[in-house]
Amino acid sequence: MNDATTPTRTRPFFGMALVNRLCGWWTALVLAFLYLPLALLIAYSFNASRLNVVWEGFTVRWYREMLANEPLIRALKNSVLIAGVTTILSVVIGTTGAWLLHSYRYRFRRLWEALVFVPIAVPEVIMGIGLLILFTAVAPGINGFLDSAFGAANETRFALGFVTTIIAHVTFCFPLVLVAVQARLADLDPAMEEAALDLGATPLVAFWRVIVPCIMPAIISGALMAFTLSMDEVLVTYFVCGPESKTLPLEIYDNVRKGLNPMLNAISAVFVAATAILVVIAERIRRIGR
Amino acid sequence: MQAAHATAARVGGRRPGLVGWLLLCPMLLWLAAFVVVPTLILAYASFTRADEDTGFPIYRGGLTFENYRRIVLDDDGHFLRTEQEEITTVDRDGTERVTGTHATTVIAAPYLRVFGSSLLYAGITTVLCVFVGYPMAWYIGRANERTRNRLLMLVMIPFWTGFLIRTYAWITILATDGLLNGLLQYTHAITQPFGMLYTPGAVVLGLVYSYLPFMILPIYGSVEKLDHTLVEAALDLGAGPLATFRKIILPLTRPGIAAGVLLVFVPAVGMYAISSLMGGGRTPMIGDVIQNQFFTGRDWPFGCALGITLVAMFVAAFAILAKFRSSVTGSDHAFRAR
Amino acid sequence: MKFIRVLLLLLAVLALPLTTFAAEKREVLNLFCWSEYVPQPVIEAFTKETGIKVNVENYDSNEKMLAKLLAGGAKYDLIQPSEYVVESLIKQGQLEELNRASLPNFKNLDAKFTDMAHDPGNKFSVPWMAGSVGIVVNTEKIKDEVTGYADVFSGKYRRRIVVLDDNREIVSWALATLGIPINDISKDTLAKARPVVKGWLPQIKAFDSDSPKTKFLKGDVDIGIVWSGEAALLWRETKGSGKFRFVLPKEGAHMFVDSLCIPKGAAHREAAEKFINHILKPEISALISKDFPYTNPNTAARALLAAEELGNPASYPPGATKLDIFKDIGKTAREIDRMMTDLRSR
């Protein structure tokens, strides 16, 4: 399209370009706002002072201390595992759920939609205590079943740990994916799925080949939200985790309560840097794969 | 457009067969086991009495509406209360003096007042998030794919640092001897440091910071999907940017905004810790107060009642909204058909 | 879908090191303690000596601990409650009796901290650390003599005050100024305390039980009522320059004692008793004091502390103000919550 030749068009197009330019500046500004605390904590992770008050010189002491702190490193590993599994399960449950609720007229559809909404609305302490009561109530039954099924040599025990933590995290994470995907499906052109179906694709193939690529941006943003929430949640996790499945936010919470410790700045910086690098690598792999 | 309307009805309106139900089953079972059952247990607990020593619910001790009554009414059974407030003036040396009284009417039940202030905080936060987040989501959604994915990552990365760590960083910035005051004094913008922390403004800042990505991402999803030829057509037809935004862009991105509002407002109402960290705990929010029932007030049934009320309130609002829309986040099949 | 595949791949790589943890099999001790209250070196020394692996879980309030403990979902071998919770747990029969024969180091304790009202004869608990609640004054900003709660809330320091975010504490201070015993909590005494607290609240800048010292250091507040340990850390931070002065309120201060107890049905009682005996060793107890300058109840450990530590007036306050301890108050806790929510939500 050659805008310059038609004067009537230049004005509004100029207007839109200006709007986009302004939005770009705004984005930069908001990003600065978002990164201000991050920049600060990275700076302080190299500060010789124990307190985040004055600059007392450069040091890598906190990084050394962090690496030597076994509970912290273990919590980081736990967290990555829990957030990763949570994200995958949430994406699967949330995306299929959103698509099904979008494309079929289920009986009691409103009720199902309202139920999905409950984990978003319920206060964390209520969810944590509710799940704790549930898990402790069913544990003897499940363990009895495991013992009778696998005999006396059975070592598998149902107790608070990784499984319960992941269950809890998926419960409050998958609705985020569902809501994000549903918003996108709402204005998806139904003709696309129709065309696929008309061309003889089964609904499942149509979903996988046509719908999923179309809603991919929403799936990615839903996955990001799920991962972020799982990496950040403290209170529900407190109630459902066991000693070996303690997550990083919980470990940080326990350590930071009595005032900031630069070691925690250091581990945050490392984690952020590591994930950023991983993402860049993943993007590279994806592009090479094409 | 007629055809589109017809297919919309066909795709969105199919009755599910056995396969359809089977596919939905995992999600429904998950919800039943980990949402419905715990919620029902606690809903039941909210009608029980608390054990005197532990504060745990006495499940077999008979049922009562007492907990819900206590949310709405005060000890004397009043809904409203008139109070003589003392008017105090603060002298130059900081001493307070009582200079008169005036009558004020307040809601008598303390917990209801906390509900009110939490809704207010969450409302302000949501509005700010929309205004701050929309232009950004727009920009990200219109960028090319590579930039888009990079920007999305850039939005999320700061939130992988841990809530407390981020909040402490903000405290370092806003403290009286903090960085911002230092900067302002250095540039001679102010002469005396002023207390920005432990004010309602600081709480709102903390809330907006925490929830902004949950507004940006859903709106981005809608913007990215937006058919740009519609925007171009409107502009070609002589509509100004503002009219184009109001008539075309806003309606088409409304599902994203609705989803964002849902993901920001609802959790923000129940948010805890921010008010005590950034607001100095002076204005308790309902999330904190609910926690207090379990952790210091030793009254689990009452805590459950408060939590269940909050959930019920949202589900009701949600159901009312859904009645007017064809899906949760607002479908615009209607718009298309027009 | 490539996105998902890449994600799965990354996950597999990251999960690899986790498998090594599952293989470990050795004696363990499940310790449920206050966050940041059991220093890592203390645990490491224990594992080195006995070979017992310590799993640590933390809590940040007594009631949060009770919620998880009494729900019974997890099995703990050792918990660290405060004195009024010990009293309540004994009453409910939730603690195992200690075998004194396996605690030879018990003799190191100061008699002032044994055989206390919440656990006569120390049948169920061994004191960990003790402390008090008192007033901290930034003497560079406030030149007046501050001796009690009434001075803090005289109206002169409006919006410069930090207090513990603990409703029962605040009420107990109000009771103390009225001359009512701090454990005498009833509808009647609360009604008397109410106007006092109401007058105090608008003067407060921030409520903080976790780290009020930070607010002093960053200049947000100049005076406050905080844990003695926080005051001791402030004193240490300013190298005893006297910038922050600690005062036990003249209306009557109170103290708290955190103890170690074994919850009913603990699976590793022997390991738990070994741990208790371990922390009663003077050199280990001194390690705890190094990180947390509360009042160490261990006489033998105090002998190992440096003179400046013992001279820290917040850890070891001179003089003899009468120190009460909190008693378990059961359901009156909710009356306090109600009154305080009412006063704070306006």
Side-chain angles (χ1 to χ4, degrees), chain B residues 155-198:
Chain B
V155 169
M156 295 317 284
I157 283 173
F159 295 87
W160 297 350
T161 49
F163 166 77
L164 273 179
I165 301 263
R166 293 193 301 273
T167 312
Y168 270 94
W170 272 114
I171 289 173
T172 309
I173 295 168
L174 297 175
T176 307
D177 290 349
L179 295 178
L180 190 55
N181 267 320
L183 188 73
L184 290 175
Q185 273 176 298
Y186 183 73
T187 56
H188 299 289
I190 52 169
T191 49
Q192 278 288 315
F194 63 99
M196 288 171 270
L197 259 186
Y198 316 122

Side-chain angles (χ1 to χ4, degrees), chain C residues 93-98 123-125 261-266 269:
Chain C
Q94 291 284 356
L95 297 179
E96 295 278 0
E97 211 164 311
L98 299 172
K123 278 196 195 135
F124 299 94
S125 71
C261 304
I262 303 177
K264 201 94 205 162
R269 283 189 59 178

Side-chain angles (χ1 to χ4, degrees), chain C residues 8-276:
Chain C
L8 274 172
L9 193 78
L10 290 179
L11 197 70
V13 173
L14 287 167
L16 221 60
L18 266 177
T19 48
T20 50
F21 289 107
E24 272 180 276
K25 264 219 138 182
R26 57 206 258 212
E27 207 182 336
V28 292
L29 172 72
N30 293 315
L31 172 64
F32 199 27
C33 58
W34 286 86
S35 38
E36 283 195 288
Y37 210 12
V38 182
Q40 193 62 25
V42 171
I43 292 172
E44 275 160 16
F46 179 71
T47 305
K48 206 171 151 199
E49 191 190 302
T50 60
I52 298 170
K53 184 174 176 281
V54 184
N55 291 322
V56 184
E57 255 190 88
N58 298 115
Y59 53 85
D60 59 3
S61 84
N62 279 304
E63 283 74 12
K64 216 165 158 181
M65 180 269 287
L66 284 178
K68 201 165 173 181
L69 177 78
L70 298 183
K75 292 276 172 266
Y76 301 107
D77 303 315
L78 208 49
I79 55 172
Q80 202 181 26
S82 303
E83 73 292 327
Y84 68 99
V85 179
V86 173
E87 186 191 338
S88 155
L89 285 171
I90 292 173
K91 208 157 61 184
Q92 295 170 46
Q94 291 284 356
L95 297 179
E96 295 278 0
E97 211 164 311
L98 299 172
N99 176 10
R100 187 64 67 78
S102 59
L103 304 174
N105 292 330
F106 190 86
K107 62 173 194 311
N108 293 337
L109 289 168
D110 185 339
K112 256 197 276 180
F113 298 95
T114 57
D115 195 21
M116 292 177 78
H118 61 272
D119 180 17
N122 285 84
K123 278 196 195 135
F124 299 94
S125 71
V126 169
W128 168 268
M129 277 280 160
S132 55
V133 173
I135 301 164
V136 170
V137 184
N138 181 343
T139 52
E140 285 176 10
K141 301 275 182 64
I142 291 174
K143 303 287 182 198
D144 318 280
E145 185 70 17
V146 176
T147 56
Y149 301 121
D151 296 337
V152 176
F153 296 107
S154 63
K156 267 189 183 166
Y157 316 117
R158 207 184 153 79
R159 293 277 190 256
R160 291 159 74 189
I161 303 169
V162 63
V163 298
L164 297 172
D165 191 2
D166 186 317
N167 290 337
R168 181 169 181 194
E169 284 287 347
I170 298 170
V171 167
S172 79
W173 309 334
L175 292 175
T177 57
L178 294 167
I180 300 169
I182 56 170
N183 285 308
D184 180 9
I185 293 169
S186 64
K187 275 220 154 104
D188 195 36
T189 53
L190 282 179
K192 285 185 186 141
R194 190 186 162 97
V196 178
V197 177
K198 193 179 173 190
W200 288 358
L201 291 181
Q203 306 180 27
I204 294 166
K205 168 115 179 176
F207 298 83
D208 188 351
S209 325
D210 294 337
S211 182
K213 63 176 177 294
T214 323
K215 294 185 168 65
F216 277 101
L217 288 170
K218 294 192 176 175
D220 289 311
V221 297
D222 301 324
I223 188 167
I225 306 175
V226 301
W227 312 121
S228 60
E230 289 286 303
L233 285 169
L234 277 173
W235 189 85
R236 190 190 269 181
E237 206 62 55
T238 50
K239 309 198 171 62
S241 71
K243 182 180 175 186
F244 296 108
R245 210 160 63 83
F246 181 74
V247 184
L248 282 177
K250 65 163 187 277
E251 291 94 339
H254 66 269
M255 63 185 285
F256 58 87
V257 184
D258 295 324
S259 304
L260 286 176
C261 304
I262 303 177
K264 201 94 205 162
H268 312 97
R269 283 189 59 178
E270 223 167 279
E273 275 164 355
K274 270 187 202 159
F275 191 85
I276 297 177

Side-chain angles (χ1 to χ4, degrees), chain A residues 1 9 12-13 15-16 20 23-24 26-27 30-31 33-38 40-41 44 52 93 97 100-107 109-110 112-126 129-131 133-135 167 170-171 174 176 178-179 182-184 186-190 193-194 197-198 204 217 221 224-225 227-229 232 234-235 239 252-253 256-257 259-260 264-265 268 271-272 275-276 279 283 286-287 290, chain B residues 7-8 10-16 20-21 23-24 27-28 30-31 33-38 41-42 59 131-132 135-136 138-139 145-146 149-166 168-170 172-173 179 205 209 212 214 217 220-222 224-225 231-232 235-236 241 252 255-256 259 262-263 266-267 272 290-291 294-295 300 303-304 307 310-311 314-315 318 322 325-326 328-333 336:
Chain A
M1 209 181 291
R9 270 192 195 172
F13 266 94
M16 270 327 267
N20 278 343
C23 285
W26 182 251
T27 304
V30 177
L31 280 177
F33 167 69
L34 292 178
Y35 276 80
L36 190 63
L38 188 62
L40 197 72
L41 76 88
Y44 277 122
N52 266 15
I93 300 177
L100 291 167
L101 287 175
H102 171 77
S103 51
Y104 292 108
R105 262 184 38 232
Y106 284 100
R107 203 171 285 266
R109 188 170 87 180
R110 294 255 182 283
W112 309 138
E113 285 183 346
L115 272 184
V116 171
F117 177 73
V118 170
I120 302 179
V122 74
E124 283 166 50
V125 62
I126 298 275
I129 286 180
L131 284 171
I133 292 175
L134 175 75
F135 291 144
I167 288 176
V170 171
T171 307
F174 92 83
L176 294 180
L178 194 142
V179 167
Q182 209 171 28
R184 180 141 175 133
D187 40 25
L188 189 75
D189 191 349
E193 195 185 356
E194 268 309 297
L197 292 176
D198 286 346
L204 274 184
S221 60
L224 281 174
M225 287 195 280
F227 186 82
T228 308
L229 202 62
D232 216 23
V234 177
L235 196 53
F239 283 110
I252 289 178
Y253 184 86
V256 85
R257 232 172 43 84
L260 202 53
L264 302 169
N265 284 342
S268 296
F271 180 71
V272 163
T275 36
V279 167
E283 210 190 327
R286 213 165 67 137
R287 231 176 303 147
R290 277 206 182 145
Chain B
T7 45
R10 252 180 81 195
V11 170
R14 270 177 295 167
R15 281 276 169 208
W21 277 105
L23 283 171
L24 195 65
M27 187 182 89
L28 291 185
W30 191 286
L31 285 171
F34 305 121
V35 177
V36 178
V37 172
I41 295 174
L42 295 186
Y59 290 106
F131 279 106
V132 175
M136 191 165 177
W138 171 264
Y139 183 78
E145 200 196 332
R146 255 178 73 191
N149 287 339
R150 276 193 193 151
L151 283 173
L152 276 186
M153 290 309 296
L154 275 180
V155 169
M156 295 317 284
I157 283 173
F159 295 87
W160 297 350
T161 49
F163 166 77
L164 273 179
I165 301 263
R166 293 193 301 273
Y168 270 94
W170 272 114
T172 309
I173 295 168
L179 295 178
L205 178 97
Y209 189 86
L212 192 57
F214 295 92
L217 290 185
Y220 151 79
S222 277
E224 200 271 339
K225 168 71 192 56
V231 179
E232 279 171 19
L235 292 170
D236 279 348
L252 281 175
L262 194 80
L263 295 184
V266 174
Y272 63 97
I290 292 175
Q291 270 188 49
F294 293 96
F295 299 153
W300 285 36
C304 292
L310 192 66
V311 177
F314 282 128
V315 172
F318 178 82
R325 300 247 174 90
S326 56
V328 188
T329 46
S331 153
D332 45 16
H333 291 319
R336 261 171 221 288

Side-chain angles (χ1 to χ4, degrees), chain B residues 2-334:
Chain B
Q2 277 298 321
H5 183 51
T7 45
R10 252 180 81 195
V11 170
R14 270 177 295 167
R15 281 276 169 208
L18 185 65
V19 180
W21 277 105
L22 278 178
L23 283 171
L24 195 65
C25 253
M27 187 182 89
L28 291 185
L29 285 176
W30 191 286
L31 285 171
F34 305 121
V35 177
V36 178
V37 172
T39 312
L40 283 182
I41 295 174
L42 295 186
Y44 178 77
S46 74
F47 291 101
T48 62
R49 287 185 182 82
D51 182 274
E52 304 238 321
D53 285 326
T54 59
F56 284 21
I58 307 172
Y59 290 106
R60 295 198 183 87
L63 299 179
T64 169
F65 275 106
E66 177 57 24
N67 296 316
Y68 289 93
R69 205 187 68 93
R70 273 170 58 196
I71 296 176
V72 188
L73 304 175
D74 73 353
D75 286 332
D76 309 323
H78 297 307
F79 181 69
L80 294 173
R81 183 172 67 198
T82 311
E83 277 191 350
Q84 294 295 320
E85 283 286 327
E86 287 174 345
I87 305 170
T88 53
T89 40
V90 183
D91 285 352
R92 216 167 299 147
D93 65 343
T95 331
E96 282 178 77
R97 276 185 309 126
V98 180
T99 51
T101 57
H102 70 106
T104 45
T105 305
V106 292
I107 291 176
Y111 301 100
L112 209 57
R113 284 203 302 271
V114 178
F115 263 110
S117 62
S118 302
L119 289 171
L120 184 70
Y121 270 115
I124 295 171
T125 303
T126 311
V127 171
L128 283 174
C129 278
V130 171
F131 279 106
V132 175
Y134 197 100
M136 191 165 177
W138 171 264
Y139 183 78
I140 300 175
R142 308 297 333 150
N144 66 47
E145 200 196 332
R146 255 178 73 191
T147 325
R148 213 159 62 204
N149 287 339
R150 276 193 193 151
L151 283 173
L152 276 186
M153 290 309 296
L154 275 180
V155 169
M156 295 317 284
I157 283 173
F159 295 87
W160 297 350
T161 49
F163 166 77
L164 273 179
I165 301 263
R166 293 193 301 273
T167 312
Y168 270 94
W170 272 114
I171 289 173
T172 309
I173 295 168
L174 297 175
T176 307
D177 290 349
L179 295 178
L180 190 55
N181 267 320
L183 188 73
L184 290 175
Q185 273 176 298
Y186 183 73
T187 56
H188 299 289
I190 52 169
T191 49
Q192 278 288 315
F194 63 99
M196 288 171 270
L197 259 186
Y198 316 122
T199 58
V203 178
V204 171
L205 178 97
L207 285 168
V208 169
Y209 189 86
S210 302
Y211 287 110
L212 192 57
F214 295 92
M215 182 64 79
I216 292 175
L217 290 185
I219 298 181
Y220 151 79
S222 277
V223 169
E224 200 271 339
K225 168 71 192 56
L226 187 85
D227 188 352
H228 210 59
T229 53
L230 285 175
V231 179
E232 279 171 19
L235 292 170
D236 279 348
L237 293 171
L242 211 66
T244 314
F245 177 74
R246 214 161 45 84
K247 294 254 171 69
I248 309 286
I249 298 172
L250 198 59
L252 281 175
T253 49
R254 209 185 49 209
I257 300 174
V261 168
L262 194 80
L263 295 184
V264 171
F265 182 75
V266 174
V269 173
M271 183 69 193
Y272 63 97
I274 284 203
S275 100
S276 69
L277 285 168
M278 305 272 289
R282 287 223 310 268
T283 41
M285 289 183 63
I286 195 68
D288 300 281
V289 170
I290 292 175
Q291 270 188 49
N292 286 348
Q293 305 313 313
F294 293 96
F295 299 153
T296 57
R298 290 213 221 163
D299 194 348
W300 285 36
F302 187 58
C304 292
L306 286 169
I308 296 293
T309 306
L310 192 66
V311 177
M313 226 165 64
F314 282 128
V315 172
F318 178 82
I320 294 166
L321 278 178
K323 254 205 139 55
F324 295 104
R325 300 247 174 90
S326 56
S327 98
V328 188
T329 46
S331 153
D332 45 16
H333 291 319

